[in-house]
Amino acid sequence: MRVILIFLLLLPTLVLAEEPMRFVYYDDYRPRSWSENGTVRGILVDIVDEAVGKRLGIPVSHLGYPWKRAQEMVKTGLADAFVTLPTQERRSYTVVGNEPIIVFTLKLATRRNHPRISEIEQIATIEQLKDYKVVDYLGDGWAQQHLKNMNVHWLSDIDSIFPFLIQGRADVVILSNRTIFEMHRQGYDPLIKILPNNLSSVSFYLCVSKHSSYKDEWSRLNPLISRQVVPKAPGRSWTSI
């Protein structure tokens, strides 16, 4: 009876040790994360494997969903964590790391035949965009935070912003690595010019659900994580993706 009692007392610890830390991702977010034949792939997946799986020795699992559903899973505790931009809302239900584990640069782009292209090429700060019409897509957390006082036309999805820009309905778009990837994939390079200046940057952090059993030890583990954990596959540069 004593042996059974000890086993029952230790059971939660044993379960925790064997239960992987469940990370969720947006399943259509190339090259950062996407689902392919039932497997989640991408830069963010590789980072979690390196930072949490290898550095911290915590088993992890990767699940891809529509982004709204993935966030709700972390909010309600059905998943343990995600890697993203920590907005005020996300901070309300997650414990956020102190250091970003990856930083994406942001660049400005316009259509090549824009009549004011010589002026647009001189833009180096967000504040200088106030005289121009910007196009972006709903769900871009960085843009919603930093472009509040700008003239922004919000579209329902990322694929719509390139035709909108080319048609002259907006002057500029701010491109992350992800939107640059989509621009290349959809063949808009001959019509859209990416300007060389880095306009800004967006930092992604590990965010752990406040309902997660891992949240209590995260303050101890977090100092071990920094942007230096970003893995680089042979022949590949993350900053160029």
Side-chain angles (χ1 to χ4, degrees):
M1 181 64 69
R2 182 176 299 174
V3 172
I4 294 174
L5 180 59
I6 293 174
F7 176 78
L8 291 175
L9 290 173
L10 291 176
L11 186 58
T13 303
L14 295 173
V15 170
L16 176 60
E18 295 179 358
E19 183 72 19
M21 190 172 184
R22 297 159 297 175
F23 278 81
V24 288
Y25 308 83
Y26 183 10
D27 61 358
D28 187 17
Y29 199 36
R30 293 173 183 266
R32 297 177 184 174
S33 60
W34 73 93
S35 294
E36 184 176 306
N37 299 323
T39 301
V40 186
R41 305 182 185 280
I43 300 171
L44 300 183
V45 175
D46 293 344
I47 289 172
V48 169
D49 279 336
E50 176 72 21
V52 182
K54 295 180 181 178
R55 283 282 181 97
L56 304 182
I58 297 175
V60 296
S61 65
H62 309 289
L63 300 168
Y65 299 98
W67 187 224
K68 185 176 181 180
R69 179 180 175 187
Q71 293 178 90
E72 189 65 24
M73 290 177 70
V74 172
K75 186 175 183 178
T76 59
L78 291 176
D80 292 298
F82 49 43
V83 179
T84 190
L85 173 73
T87 61
Q88 183 175 355
E89 180 185 0
R90 290 167 189 158
R91 286 182 181 275
S92 71
Y93 60 84
T94 65
V95 178
V96 179
N98 296 326
E99 293 287 338
I101 61 171
I102 190 167
V103 177
F104 298 100
T105 57
L106 300 176
K107 292 184 176 294
L108 194 67
T110 187
R111 67 186 189 277
R112 292 186 181 274
N113 62 352
H114 196 293
R116 300 173 65 188
I117 192 169
S118 59
E119 298 175 20
I120 294 173
E121 288 175 334
Q122 305 306 311
I123 296 174
T125 66
I126 299 295
E127 290 72 23
Q128 290 176 283
L129 294 175
K130 63 183 180 181
D131 296 327
Y132 300 90
K133 187 172 183 179
V134 184
V135 61
D136 212 313
Y137 64 97
L138 293 170
D140 184 342
W142 180 91
Q144 290 173 339
Q145 280 189 6
H146 292 84
L147 303 180
K148 290 180 180 178
N149 300 320
M150 303 292 174
N151 182 12
V152 183
H153 190 99
W154 300 100
L155 300 180
S156 60
D157 58 81
I158 191 171
D159 292 343
S160 303
I161 64 177
F162 306 113
F164 196 91
L165 184 67
I166 291 168
Q167 292 164 8
R169 301 170 69 186
D171 297 306
V172 294
V173 60
I174 299 173
L175 299 180
S176 65
N177 297 44
R178 187 219 173 180
T179 41
I180 291 174
F181 178 90
E182 287 297 325
M183 191 189 85
H184 294 330
R185 186 180 67 84
Q186 296 179 37
Y188 286 106
D189 300 65
L191 301 173
I192 297 176
K193 181 176 183 179
I194 300 174
L195 307 183
N197 292 339
N198 290 336
L199 189 67
S200 187
S201 63
V202 56
S203 300
F204 275 30
Y205 292 73
L206 279 174
C207 306
V208 182
S209 171
K210 290 182 179 179
H211 294 287
S212 172
S213 56
Y214 287 95
K215 75 177 189 307
D216 295 328
E217 59 179 316
W218 202 243
S219 59
R220 177 177 63 84
L221 298 175
N222 181 67
L224 299 176
I225 298 176
S226 70
R227 70 186 69 176
Q228 280 72 36
V229 304
V230 177
K232 291 182 180 178
R236 183 183 223 174
S237 170
W238 290 127
T239 56
S240 66
I241 295 179

